[in-house]
């Protein structure tokens, strides 16, 4: 008998049929002898709809009230799932984040978990009941309802699995697991049966949308085994765990493309101490999330600095950079919206020379120009033109032998 935390995302509980299907699955797992604790997201696009509604009645949208509103989505899904479980003869109790013992800071709309005291959840399990917890929510020390942020239900599930010392945290979604590349772009992409935490984290950071990076980080720190799987096929998906020494390491695990960033270049910058510090402090104070940074070798004491950042931050960044350029003696500021980044991830890269060379040769053979390069021990990323992104992703997937069959 194992204690399992099962998290169901918005598409998994999008309508009454889906809610009943999830209830069937929970009942099946119980019959097999597992103890199940459930975490649910809001149904379908409900979180977006609630946010939209808030925008229709308010310009200011105060955080405390937003959190009260948004968390109602998960609460509704939890209550409905419990009703469906009761109909199947499975005793089940819904809990808000607060009732489930999630204490968070008071940073509304993006609260951090401070502590989980899941006493009521534990008692429900001991009594043979299924606790169904509203995801992405908690209560602040001031006893206000808080929301953990978009996609926070994954974090709720992992934190609960950790607090309950569950055997595994299953993240159910609308895809059957983690793939070697996005199957919509690379039809020959394969589902991985296993991936290591460090590789999955690099893939998340490179733009792989699921699971949520924050949840994967939490799971790695607290040693919670994850199983990413589909609530549409119910087939086994991808297991995420620490390095398995018996496993031969693949050199490359996956290829991730990301078109969500833009590039800014400041040219003719005097190469003196303190210039980069000034620039990036200013951007940090604006809350801009700078990603890759490249500074050229200086030529006669003059250099260029380029960096990438989310599209949404581009206007603010251009305004700040243009404003600063004169002051630091730079000659120009330009931006490019249409960039893409292709990243290759694999733990075996560390001990296999020639990966970078193969990446560059492959891109060259496909006439793709590289604008920026950055690496970690287990990742190589290249910034290229956005129009080349899909082609480059497919080519690298093939070049590194990841294609199916
Ligand atoms: N429903 C929330 C969202 O869409 C939280 C979650 O599902 O994880 O962001
Ligand atoms: Mg772009």
């Amino acid at each position: 008998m194992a204690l399992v935390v099962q998290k169901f995302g918005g598409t998994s509980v999008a309508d009454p049929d889906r809610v009943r299907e999830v209830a069937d699955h929970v009942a099946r797992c119980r019959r097999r002898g597992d103890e199940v604790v459930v975490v649910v997201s809001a149904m379908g696009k409900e979180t977006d709809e609630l946010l939209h509604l808030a925008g229709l009645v308010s310009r200011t949208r105060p955080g405390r009230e937003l959190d009260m509103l948004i968390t109602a989505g998960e609460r509704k899904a939890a209550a409905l799932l419990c009703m469906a479980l009761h109909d199947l003869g499975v005793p089940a109790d819904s809990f808000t984040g607060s009732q489930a013992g999630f204490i968070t800071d008071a940073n509304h709309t993006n609260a951090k978990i401070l502590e989980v005291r899941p006493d009521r959840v534990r008692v429900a399990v001991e009594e043979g009941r299924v606790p169904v917890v509203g995801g992405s929510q908690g209560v602040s020390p001031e006893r206000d309802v808080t929301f953990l942020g978009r996609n926070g239900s994954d974090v709720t599930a992992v934190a609960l699995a950790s607090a309950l010392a569950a055997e595994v945290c299953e993240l159910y979604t609308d895809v059957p697991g983690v793939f070697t590349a996005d199957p919509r772009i690379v039809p020959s992409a394969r589902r991985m049966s296993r991936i290591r935490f460090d590789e999955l984290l690099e893939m998340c950071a490179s733009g792989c949308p699921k699971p949520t990076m924050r949840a994967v980080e939490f799971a790695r720190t607290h040693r919670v085994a994850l199983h990413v799987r589909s609530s549409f096929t119910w087939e086994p998906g991808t297991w995420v765990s620490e390095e398995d020494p018996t496993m031969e390491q693949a050199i490359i695990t996956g290829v991730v493309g990301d078109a969500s960033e833009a590039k800014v270049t400041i040219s003719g910058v005097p190469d003196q101490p303190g210039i980069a510090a000034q620039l990036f402090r200013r951007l940090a104070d604006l809350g801009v999330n700078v990603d890759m940074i490249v500074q050229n070798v200086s030529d006669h004491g003059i250099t260029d600095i380029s960096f990438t950042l989310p599209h949404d931050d581009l206007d603010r960044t251009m305004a700040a950079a243009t404003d600063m350029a004169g002051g630091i003696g730079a000659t120009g500021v330009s931006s490019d919206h249409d960039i893409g980044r292709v990243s290759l991830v694999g733990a075996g890269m560390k001990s296999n020379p020639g990966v970078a060379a193969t990446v560059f040769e492959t891109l060259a053979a496909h006439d793709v120009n590289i604008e920026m390069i950055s690496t970690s021990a287990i990742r190589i990323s290249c910034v290229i033109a956005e129009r080349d992104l899909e082609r480059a992703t497919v080519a690298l997937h093939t070049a590194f032998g990841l294609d199916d069959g």
Side-chain angles (χ1 to χ4, degrees):
M1 191 165 78
L3 176 64
V4 180
V5 173
Q6 301 186 333
K7 178 258 169 177
F8 296 94
T11 50
S12 301
V13 291
D15 56 46
D17 287 338
R18 294 282 342 159
V19 172
R20 281 196 303 265
E21 247 197 77
V22 166
D24 277 337
H25 178 70
V26 171
R28 254 192 327 269
C29 295
R30 293 245 310 176
R31 281 198 297 275
R32 249 189 357 232
D34 286 340
E35 289 173 326
V36 183
V37 173
V38 176
V39 173
V40 276
S41 288
M43 295 169 75
K45 298 253 165 278
E46 177 141 40
T47 306
D48 292 323
E49 285 157 16
L50 291 171
L51 283 167
H52 178 70
L53 201 53
L56 295 180
V57 298
S58 164
R59 270 175 298 106
T60 50
R61 304 201 302 173
R64 183 185 182 281
E65 304 313 322
L66 262 186
D67 285 7
M68 188 68 116
L69 176 73
I70 303 173
T71 52
E74 280 75 18
R75 183 167 167 169
K76 175 173 147 187
L80 289 171
L81 180 56
C82 281
M83 293 182 196
L85 283 165
H86 280 269
D87 277 24
L88 298 173
V90 176
D93 300 319
S94 59
F95 293 104
T96 65
S98 168
Q99 290 174 317
F102 279 79
I103 320 292
T104 74
D105 64 17
N107 183 19
H108 284 292
T109 72
N110 204 15
K112 300 267 170 303
I113 298 171
L114 301 176
E115 203 188 334
V116 188
R117 293 189 215 136
D119 305 337
R120 296 191 64 183
V121 173
R122 218 175 260 128
V123 168
V125 171
E126 278 160 16
E127 290 174 350
R129 308 177 69 81
V130 174
V132 179
V133 178
S136 200
Q137 53 185 273
V139 64
S140 71
E142 296 79 20
R143 304 219 197 147
D144 285 322
V145 170
T146 53
F147 182 60
L148 304 187
R150 298 311 304 265
N151 304 313
S153 296
D154 283 357
V155 184
T156 299
V158 173
L160 200 52
S162 168
L164 297 170
E167 192 124 318
V168 56
C169 178
E170 298 182 331
L171 301 174
Y172 286 89
T173 171
D174 51 359
V175 292
V178 182
F179 281 74
T180 52
D182 184 340
R184 286 166 303 187
I185 291 164
V186 184
S188 56
R190 286 178 291 115
R191 179 184 59 79
M192 304 171 203
S193 53
R194 286 191 165 275
I195 185 170
R196 298 154 37 121
F197 274 114
D198 56 352
E199 292 173 318
L200 184 57
L201 280 170
E202 288 279 9
M203 288 184 68
C204 294
S206 306
C208 176
K210 281 175 186 173
T212 318
M213 175 136 125
R214 191 171 153 202
V216 179
E217 274 170 344
F218 199 111
R220 180 172 66 171
T221 311
H222 295 88
R223 300 184 172 278
V224 175
L226 294 181
H227 186 184
V228 182
R229 53 188 300 191
S230 162
S231 66
F232 289 78
T233 67
W234 305 109
E235 305 264 311
T238 303
W239 284 85
V240 192
S241 52
E242 281 304 331
E243 188 167 356
D244 175 356
T246 62
M247 225 165 48
E248 180 82 55
Q249 271 177 12
I251 298 179
I252 301 304
T253 310
V255 185
V256 186
D258 179 13
S260 70
E261 296 204 323
K263 184 178 81 166
V264 171
T265 300
I266 306 180
S267 34
V269 182
D271 194 6
Q272 289 159 11
I275 299 278
Q278 249 186 76
L279 173 66
F280 290 103
R281 166 53 58 204
R282 172 94 176 251
L283 297 181
D285 290 345
L286 285 173
V288 173
N289 214 340
V290 172
D291 183 24
M292 280 162 84
I293 302 174
V294 170
Q295 177 176 325
N296 280 343
V297 175
S298 67
D299 184 13
H300 297 95
I302 299 289
T303 185
D304 294 341
I305 299 177
S306 295
F307 53 92
T308 65
L309 72 175
H311 280 156
D312 290 349
D313 292 337
L314 185 56
D315 291 346
R316 294 188 288 153
T317 300
M318 282 302 282
T322 310
D323 180 47
M324 280 186 71
I328 59 177
T331 54
V333 182
S334 61
S335 68
D336 184 353
H337 208 270
D338 301 323
I339 59 153
R341 181 184 49 193
V342 63
S343 303
L344 203 69
V345 174
M349 221 182 259
K350 275 187 283 207
S351 45
N352 281 278
V355 174
T358 307
V359 170
F360 304 151
E361 281 161 9
T362 306
L363 295 179
H366 287 80
D367 223 15
V368 174
N369 186 48
I370 301 172
E371 297 177 28
M372 294 165 87
I373 301 165
S374 85
T375 61
S376 81
I378 63 168
R379 175 184 51 79
I380 298 179
S381 301
C382 297
V383 170
I384 59 180
E386 190 173 336
R387 62 171 182 281
D388 293 336
L389 186 57
E390 296 195 356
R391 208 152 40 92
T393 306
V394 171
L396 290 170
H397 196 268
T398 305
F400 284 92
L402 295 172
D403 288 347
D404 202 0

